[in-house]
Amino acid sequence: MNKLKKIAIRVIAESLSEDEIAGLKEMFLMIDTDNNGQITLEELKKGLERVGANLKESELLWLMEAVDVDNSGTIDYGEFIAAMLHLNKIQTEDHLYAAFTYFDQACEKYGILDSNIDDIIRKVDKDNDGRIDYSEFTAMM
């Protein structure tokens, strides 16, 4: 996922109610064996093995990198929920609109303004008007 999509999914994840993510919290807690609120690569590997998934080391590293939006080397609860949303395609119109509406705040919060925003806009801006409109945003999702 590109950084814009990672952040958008994270915004969606943070807007969901507890009912909408039922079961995911328990899954996170099952993987986070030391209960510190962060999933390490080793915890992820063991957690996936417990549920019958046997990934290669390279696949685990790719998964960690894809999910770890803030590049901390661990997966926090919000990143985990965002990854599960992406994997399960739980993206309703209301949540997409909420993510689109609050994207400016997310850009600031997650430091996307520090990266090359022009490159990100060019990748998503299909009509080349220098802006990401709602239809381009939802197409990216």
Side-chain angles (χ1 to χ4, degrees), residues 45 48-57 59-60:
K45 181 179 179 180
L48 290 173
E49 287 172 355
R50 279 195 298 273
V51 296
N54 200 3
L55 299 177
K56 296 177 193 172
E57 189 72 23
E59 294 170 318
L60 282 169

Side-chain angles (χ1 to χ4, degrees), residues 35-54:
N35 297 316
N36 71 349
Q38 303 287 321
I39 295 174
T40 64
L41 179 62
E42 190 61 30
E43 287 174 321
L44 180 62
K45 181 179 179 180
K46 289 178 181 177
L48 290 173
E49 287 172 355
R50 279 195 298 273
V51 296
N54 200 3

